[in-house]
Amino acid sequence: MAQQAGTALRVRRPMAGNAHLIDLDSPLGIEEAYQVATRLMSDPAVEYAEPNVRFRHAAVVPNDPLYYEQWHLYEQPGIGSNIAGAWSMTTGDPTTVIAVIDTGLVPHGDIGTYFDGSGRILPGYDFYDNNSDPSDPGDWSSSEQSSWHGTHTTGIINALSDNNKGVTGINWHASTLPVRVLGSSGGYLSDIAEAIYWSAGLSVPGVGNNPHPAQIINLSLQYNASTCPSLLQNAIDAAYQAGSILVSAAGNSSRNARSSSPANCRNTLTVASTNQQGDRSSFSNYGEIVDISAPGSGIYATLNTGAREPVTTPSGDSYGVMSGTSMATPIVSGVISLMLAVNPDMKYYEIVEILSHTAYPFAPGSDCYTRGCGAGIIDGTEAVRAAANPGELESIRLHKWQEALLVEIEQLKSKLPGLHDSITQDIATELREKHDQLLGTTLTVKLLESMEQDLQFIRIEIDRLQDELERRRTSTTYSLTGKPQPSSSNGGCTPGGSGFADATLPITFSFATLYLLGRARKDK
């Protein structure tokens, strides 16, 4: 039976109903477990086989009346951020502090009305006007109304939830540290840098110490710059060393995020925006420095009715839609806050790794697939589950690695037609065997490393064959003795001669081919 399963089996115990609980020799992902079960059912003595899946209670659904306007919370993985499922594991921890460095915060009945720490809003600071009041007085100008940008980003993360009012925040218990750095004319680099120092609990000349250092610092802002300014980078590095996790917007210029700060600063997690089709929002920056994507188009959250100055709560409380990487960024900050709630000792690199490995990949052919929007669209439920169960991360890593190798095999197979050479038959056989091996055996790091190396050799050999074919198509054909022969109507061979046709490859073997075929025979 173990031979059919493709892995070692051990009976843990008999069960009621004439069933048996079987242990495998190593943990498997759910898809791999179903593959083992399918192989076991090929044995006539086995009536049925199925993974011992883990049941959970139904997903928590908040009673906030505007919850169903927030597609980013509940839509399926690959569209929304799939956060609703995470609430069955945690709704947050009140000891988590999230700094929102933005336009400040308007008192709102669905966020908090007192900035003194008595609720979930901590005493913040206004670096724009250099005072201890972080409330948003409005950033209106002669041509635009106030945006209430900081109130919107804060509501995405920390709106009061399951209170039968308004919208739902990602974290239901964490505290917000409001920090104002933006006004009607934007904000200065110097203010933003000092706000980062202060938010992380580090000293700033002339400003009282922050008694509530933030574990997460949300940076929904941008400045077009080809390199990260030194003053900003130094502040980010200091906050990172102090233990804060900095999450920054990729920018809204529909260009490579390398041209936007703080997205192009090191030690920040850079976030691009996606739409309800699961692809890049038209405005979102992109590129290789993006770490992850999250919904950022048409995000519903808290606002204020004031056109210029804020209208006091409760009459000024309102809700509405905003779009931007500024909206995607607090979604990622919120998910990280839930991850820290179940595993408060997680390091920055561990969080990035989990977010990357649990992200929902982009569909081939999508704009994000070709331009680069990070590892995929954030999957809040799977990220929190992996944070709560670190042992599952290894299985996730192996599964993602397996998926990448299977894609590589398909890409290599697609290059074989048209080469017209006997060597390609051996390569095709080798690829089929490796495909079956990936799906039919227990995944280990050693196996996947070996597989990756083998595929690299195969790619080199296919590239060599393609190059040789192209060379022969554009040059004179040669006989076996090496003398030039003219092409003829019978496919390139001269009457009575032994010249090769244009599309025929010379009978040569590279070291890579000999190595691969020799090893294949030995393995058989």
Side-chain angles (χ1 to χ4, degrees), residues 321-378:
V321 167
M322 294 183 75
S323 297
T325 54
S326 285
M327 283 64 250
T329 302
I331 290 175
V332 174
S333 294
V335 170
I336 293 173
S337 72
L338 295 180
M339 294 168 69
L340 291 176
V342 297
N343 190 347
D345 297 324
M346 293 189 72
K347 307 299 182 188
Y348 171 80
Y349 72 90
E350 294 172 319
I351 289 170
V352 173
E353 183 176 31
I354 285 178
L355 290 177
S356 298
H357 281 93
T358 57
Y360 198 90
F362 296 108
S366 67
D367 193 63
C368 270
Y369 187 85
T370 55
R371 294 195 186 214
C373 303
I377 300 175
I378 194 168

Side-chain angles (χ1 to χ4, degrees), residues 86-342:
W87 293 327
S88 64
M89 292 173 275
T90 182
T91 51
D93 186 330
T95 65
T96 303
V97 177
I98 306 164
V100 179
I101 298 180
D102 213 297
T103 63
L105 178 62
V106 175
H108 194 293
D110 210 12
I111 297 177
T113 55
Y114 298 99
F115 296 2
D116 58 2
S118 60
R120 292 174 55 197
I121 308 298
L122 299 170
Y125 198 83
D126 182 348
F127 284 87
Y128 187 87
D129 284 329
N130 194 27
N131 62 60
S132 59
D133 179 8
S135 60
D136 187 349
D139 58 357
W140 59 276
S141 67
S142 58
S143 58
E144 294 183 345
Q145 296 183 350
S146 290
S147 67
W148 315 119
H149 189 273
T151 301
H152 199 270
T153 55
T154 299
I156 293 171
I157 304 171
N158 269 356
L160 301 178
S161 304
D162 205 35
N163 62 340
N164 205 28
K165 179 179 181 178
V167 295
T168 304
I170 294 171
N171 195 308
W172 299 10
H173 304 289
S175 297
T176 299
L177 183 69
V179 184
R180 182 172 179 247
V181 296
L182 302 175
S184 60
S185 56
Y188 284 107
L189 168 64
S190 55
D191 292 337
I192 295 167
E194 290 198 315
I196 291 172
Y197 280 108
W198 187 84
S199 296
L202 303 172
S203 62
V204 174
V207 180
N209 290 335
N210 169 22
H212 307 286
Q215 290 100 319
I216 302 164
I217 299 176
N218 190 88
L219 297 167
S220 290
L221 40 79
Q222 76 170 99
Y223 172 74
N224 290 334
S226 58
T227 58
C228 179
S230 297
L231 186 65
L232 182 59
Q233 186 64 73
N234 290 340
I236 289 172
D237 289 344
Y240 171 80
Q241 291 298 327
S244 295
I245 299 160
L246 295 97
V247 187
S248 61
N252 299 334
S253 305
S254 190
R255 58 196 289 188
N256 196 298
R258 283 199 175 278
S259 62
S260 179
S261 292
N264 59 6
C265 301
R266 65 178 175 268
N267 294 327
T268 66
L269 199 156
T270 299
V271 183
S273 170
T274 52
N275 56 32
Q276 283 187 271
Q277 287 71 50
D279 203 354
R280 184 179 70 91
S281 301
S282 59
F283 51 78
S284 179
N285 285 355
Y286 51 83
E288 67 280 1
I289 68 167
V290 174
D291 295 293
I292 195 85
S293 287
S297 294
I299 305 303
Y300 205 82
T302 43
L303 287 171
N304 188 273
T305 59
R308 293 189 171 187
E309 292 81 14
V311 177
T312 57
T313 184
S315 58
D317 296 349
S318 70
Y319 306 88
V321 167
M322 294 183 75
S323 297
T325 54
S326 285
M327 283 64 250
T329 302
I331 290 175
V332 174
S333 294
V335 170
I336 293 173
S337 72
L338 295 180
M339 294 168 69
L340 291 176
V342 297

